[in-house]
């Protein structure tokens, strides 16, 4: 369950938060496939509660009404079409599975597919679920429960959401059927939302009943779904992520918290020389890593002060480090712009999501940020693909916030987060020749629109990174995007 099953040579997934299925299919074919992205995490695919009372907040999609594949992103036919088109260009699809709970108790009771329910009676006829499928007695998780009481964190309601009992055969069957249907359609795996709120033993039963991935979509025979469990665990809670790593991968929230702190200047970059488990992070193969996600980019979830698209230079620096360093399996966030942390995606006045527009400079419009289309970000995806599983060697730092390292003899990267310029002759570990810095520009024919780096026969090169430059990163590699 810890293998993403990316197509060969691909390493990185992007969370296309709130994108519609038809738009994701198009993005796979016009951008993600050609640019070497490994996969897409999509927003929840099953019918959710319609909350006009809160102007259709982003979190309404985390309140299931049924397991019917009909949401504001599209219907089952559009979903099926998207999975096929993305798999055809080597881009995998991962579904955000909301299996801990159903809805909260609201005055409205209609779902995105027209189904209704009676929350006060724990009555969800479109599944169907009834009172016996939910935990008893009724209780709601309090702040203190996270520290004291692992059983309450699992058996009581998270944020007043009706809490399913995954310990019963009937509930397990409903969940397994929902997930196996998606596997049949060609998905490569799942994000298990709120995994901390479900018993590991129950999750293990559910995972083991999932079918192998569909070989008709290019997966090898016997391939198990990639499963990464959302466990927000920054320490001193009753529930530990170590209860979940024996089962499958886990979201490593400390990763984004520590790198945000470092690139915001709270920690010197030189301390990143031993980045990884030495920092208390999960084993690399167990960790789904990210700088920000849909929840903490709004300051809701873990980690407090997380870098987002709103601090572009520092954000690009942290993302570049995530992609340059071998630790973990990275996920990029791709969002819509927001000021109100409750706001849902751009929509028309009937509540239909507005598609991202693609500008002539390849950026997005219509309120979509499309971080994955920022040149400095997609170029580092190509860097990560190129350097593969080569090791970090030749670490250099200036004792403060200027660092550099090699990835085998395939890639070299330098960072300057000090207030003064970096100007050094450094070992790049690369074959002698000329390279274009893929951050300050790109290769155009036999020229570089940004910096051009000449590597000598000893592998050394003159590296400059001015403190006032647009970006704090310089990166070169042996792939065609960089090597002249
Ligand atoms: O103030 C709120 N919620 C209470 C504090 C955040 O608690 C939530 C957590 C949560 C937060 C921190 C933890 O350590 C933890 O174990 C759980 O996970 C959720 C997962 C869901 O699928 C749906 C939810 O409504 C929540 C949720 O409300 C607002 C209004 C309702 C939704 N919401 C939110 O803030 C929604 C947040 C949300 C939604 C989806 C997620 O996947 C997520 O991680 C957070
Ligand atoms: Ca639960």
């Amino acid at each position: 369950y810890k293998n993403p099953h990316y197509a060969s040579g691909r390493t990185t997934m992007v969370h296309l938060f709130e994108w519609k299925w038809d738009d994701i299919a198009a993005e796979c074919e016009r951008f993600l496939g050609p640019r070497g992205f490994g996969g897409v995490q999509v927003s929840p695919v099953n019918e959710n509660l319609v909350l006009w009372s809160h102007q259709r907040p982003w979190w309404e999609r985390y309140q299931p009404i049924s397991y019917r594949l009909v949401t504001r992103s599209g219907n089952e036919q559009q979903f099926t079409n998207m999975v096929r088109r993305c798999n055809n260009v080597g881009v995998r699809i991962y579904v955000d599975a909301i299996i801990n709970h159903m809805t909260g108790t609201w005055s409205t009771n209609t779902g995105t597919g027209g189904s209704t329910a009676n929350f006060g009676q724990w009555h969800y006829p479109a599944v169907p679920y009834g009172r016996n499928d939910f935990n008893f007695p009724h209780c709601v998780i309090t702040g203190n429960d996270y520290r004291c009481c692992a059983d309450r964190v699992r058996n009581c309601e998270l944020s007043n959401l009706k809490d399913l009992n995954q310990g019963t055969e009937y509930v397990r069957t409903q969940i397994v059927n929902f997930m196996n249907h998606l596997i049949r359609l060609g998905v490569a795996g799942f994000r298990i939302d709120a995994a901390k709120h479900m018993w590991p033993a129950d999750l293990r039963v559910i995972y083991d009943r999932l079918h192998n991935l569909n070989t008709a979509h290019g997966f090898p025979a016997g391939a198990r779904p990639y499963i990464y469990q959302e466990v927000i665990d920054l320490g001193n809670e009753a529930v530990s992520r170590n209860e979940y790593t024996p089962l499958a991968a886990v979201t490593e929230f400390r990763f984004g918290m520590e790198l945000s702190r470092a690139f915001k200047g709270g920690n010197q970059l030189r301390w990143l020389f031993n980045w990884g488990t030495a920092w208390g992070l999960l084993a690399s193969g167990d960790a789904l890593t990210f700088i920000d996600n849909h929840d903490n980019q709004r300051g809701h979830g873990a980690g407090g002060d997380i870098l987002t698209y709103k601090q572009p230079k520092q954000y690009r620096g942290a993302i570049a480090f995530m992609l340059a360093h071998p630790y973990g399996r990275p996920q990029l966030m791709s969002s819509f712009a927001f000021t109100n942390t409750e706001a849902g995606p751009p929509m028309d006045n009937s509540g239909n999501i507005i598609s991202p527009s693609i500008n002539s400079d390849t950026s997005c419009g219509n309120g979509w940020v499309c971080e994955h289309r920022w040149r400095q970000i997609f170029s580092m995806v190509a860097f990560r693909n190129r350097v593969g599983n080569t090791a970090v060697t030749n670490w250099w730092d200036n004792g403060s916030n200027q660092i550099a390292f090699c990835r085998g003899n395939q890639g070299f990267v330098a960072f300057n987060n000090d207030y003064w310029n970096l100007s050094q002759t450094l070992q790049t570990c690369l074959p002698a020749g000329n390279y274009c810095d893929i951050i300050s520009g790109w290769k155009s024919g036999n020229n570089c629109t940004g910096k051009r780096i000449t590597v000598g026969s000893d592998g050394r090169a003159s590296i400059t990174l001015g403190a006032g430059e647009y970006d704090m990163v310089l990166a070169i590699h042996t792939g065609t995007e960089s090597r002249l």
Side-chain angles (χ1 to χ4, degrees):
Y1 302 120
K2 298 180 178 179
N3 179 349
H5 297 296
Y6 291 140
S8 74
R10 293 169 191 251
T11 60
T12 304
M13 88 162 79
V14 55
H15 180 191
L16 292 182
F17 183 58
E18 289 283 5
W19 276 51
K20 293 181 282 186
W21 309 148
D22 291 344
D23 295 329
I24 293 177
E27 189 73 351
C28 282
E29 292 170 347
R30 71 193 169 203
F31 189 85
L32 301 172
R35 293 279 178 189
F37 282 73
V40 176
Q41 175 182 310
V42 302
S43 282
V45 302
N46 57 293
E47 183 176 17
N48 61 268
L49 182 62
V50 174
L51 274 179
W52 278 111
S53 57
H54 288 64
Q55 297 80 43
R56 310 304 303 272
W58 62 271
W59 40 265
E60 72 163 39
R61 292 187 76 158
Y62 291 89
Q63 308 217 8
I65 277 268
S66 78
Y67 298 127
R68 295 170 57 215
L69 305 189
V70 54
T71 63
R72 286 204 286 176
S73 286
N75 60 31
E76 174 151 358
Q77 184 270 325
Q78 291 165 312
F79 181 83
T80 304
N81 181 43
M82 168 192 71
V83 175
R84 181 177 44 74
R85 287 168 65 185
C86 289
N87 277 330
N88 281 350
V89 291
V91 180
R92 306 301 188 198
I93 298 294
Y94 304 91
V95 168
D96 196 351
I98 321 303
I99 59 174
N100 171 64
H101 53 259
M102 299 302 277
T103 68
T105 43
W106 302 88
S107 51
T108 51
N109 58 9
T110 307
T112 43
S115 307
T116 59
N118 182 334
F119 320 127
Q121 304 301 318
W122 285 271
H123 187 47
Y124 294 83
V127 178
Y129 279 145
R131 180 67 185 90
N132 294 336
D133 303 317
F134 297 88
N135 283 315
F136 181 87
H138 176 260
C139 51
V140 179
I141 301 171
T142 66
N144 186 50
D145 289 336
Y146 285 101
R147 273 182 303 284
C148 74
C149 312
D151 53 334
R152 287 182 59 85
V153 173
R154 273 67 174 259
N155 298 335
C156 294
E157 290 179 353
L158 164 59
S159 188
N160 294 307
L161 299 165
K162 297 299 151 207
D163 201 56
L164 285 167
N165 178 1
Q166 296 81 14
T168 73
E169 275 310 305
Y170 179 78
V171 171
R172 290 169 175 181
T173 301
Q174 295 303 320
I175 291 171
V176 165
N177 289 348
F178 164 57
M179 295 172 81
N180 275 332
H181 178 45
L182 295 168
I183 287 173
R184 202 162 32 257
L185 295 181
V187 309
F190 302 92
R191 172 187 183 265
I192 305 298
D193 175 74
K196 179 165 84 175
H197 299 275
M198 295 180 274
W199 293 100
D202 291 337
L203 289 175
R204 181 188 292 277
V205 168
I206 288 167
Y207 300 165
D208 288 350
R209 290 182 186 173
L210 298 181
H211 295 157
N212 292 335
L213 298 184
N214 188 336
T215 52
H217 282 261
F219 298 106
R224 300 301 292 155
Y226 177 47
I227 294 177
Y228 48 106
Q229 303 162 107
E230 184 209 17
V231 180
I232 302 179
D233 169 14
L234 296 176
N236 49 51
E237 282 196 26
V239 174
S240 158
R241 72 246 187 108
N242 299 327
E243 299 175 62
Y244 296 87
T245 45
L247 276 63
V250 171
T251 52
E252 178 51 278
F253 278 82
R254 300 182 199 189
F255 182 97
M257 191 186 76
E258 292 292 357
L259 283 188
S260 293
R261 181 141 59 108
F263 280 86
K264 291 180 88 141
N267 221 343
Q268 292 184 324
L269 296 190
R270 65 164 170 159
W271 298 120
L272 294 174
F273 73 93
N274 63 349
W275 182 243
T277 51
W279 280 66
L281 302 182
L282 293 166
S284 180
D286 288 353
L288 188 277
T289 57
F290 48 94
I291 300 301
D292 61 330
N293 77 343
H294 62 283
D295 175 35
N296 66 21
Q297 75 167 178
R298 291 168 170 75
H300 271 246
D305 226 3
I306 299 294
L307 282 173
T308 73
Y309 75 90
K310 297 183 178 183
Q311 301 84 24
K313 181 170 181 178
Q314 295 167 320
Y315 185 65
R316 288 198 298 270
I319 294 277
F321 186 86
M322 170 174 79
L323 294 172
H325 196 280
Y327 176 85
R329 297 192 196 287
Q331 177 183 84
L332 295 168
M333 180 71 197
S334 186
S335 1
F336 52 82
F338 64 91
T339 41
N340 168 5
T341 59
E342 311 295 313
M347 65 177 176
D348 63 26
N349 45 29
S350 333
N352 304 309
I353 296 175
I354 295 169
S355 298
S357 57
I358 309 296
N359 301 323
S360 54
D361 67 355
T362 76
S363 66
C364 289
N366 287 351
W368 297 88
V369 179
C370 286
E371 295 94 328
H372 68 286
R373 280 177 164 262
W374 293 4
R375 187 189 73 255
Q376 303 86 335
I377 292 182
F378 74 69
S379 298
M380 284 308 293
V381 171
F383 178 103
R384 186 179 191 83
N385 290 346
R386 179 70 192 183
V387 301
N389 51 22
T390 56
V392 172
T393 65
N394 297 77
W395 176 277
W396 170 88
D397 65 58
N398 70 339
S400 170
N401 287 296
Q402 297 179 0
I403 63 174
F405 55 89
C406 301
R407 291 293 307 276
N409 60 4
Q410 299 296 320
F412 170 80
V413 66
F415 298 78
N416 178 13
N417 205 18
D418 274 327
Y419 298 106
W420 59 95
N421 298 344
L422 184 161
S423 180
Q424 301 278 341
T425 299
L426 297 174
Q427 177 53 246
T428 70
C429 315
L430 297 181
N434 292 307
Y435 299 80
C436 293
D437 168 27
I438 53 158
I439 300 296
S440 58
W442 59 93
K443 186 172 92 173
S444 169
N446 253 341
N447 300 308
C448 305
T449 64
K451 294 174 188 171
R452 178 194 180 98
I453 311 293
T454 299
V455 174
S457 54
D458 60 355
R460 292 159 64 81
S462 163
I463 303 298
T464 59
L465 255 177
E469 285 183 29
Y470 188 74
D471 278 293
M472 65 169 82
V473 187
L474 180 150
I476 54 178
H477 62 82
T478 54
T480 56
E481 301 86 349
S482 176
R483 188 170 188 178
L484 284 171

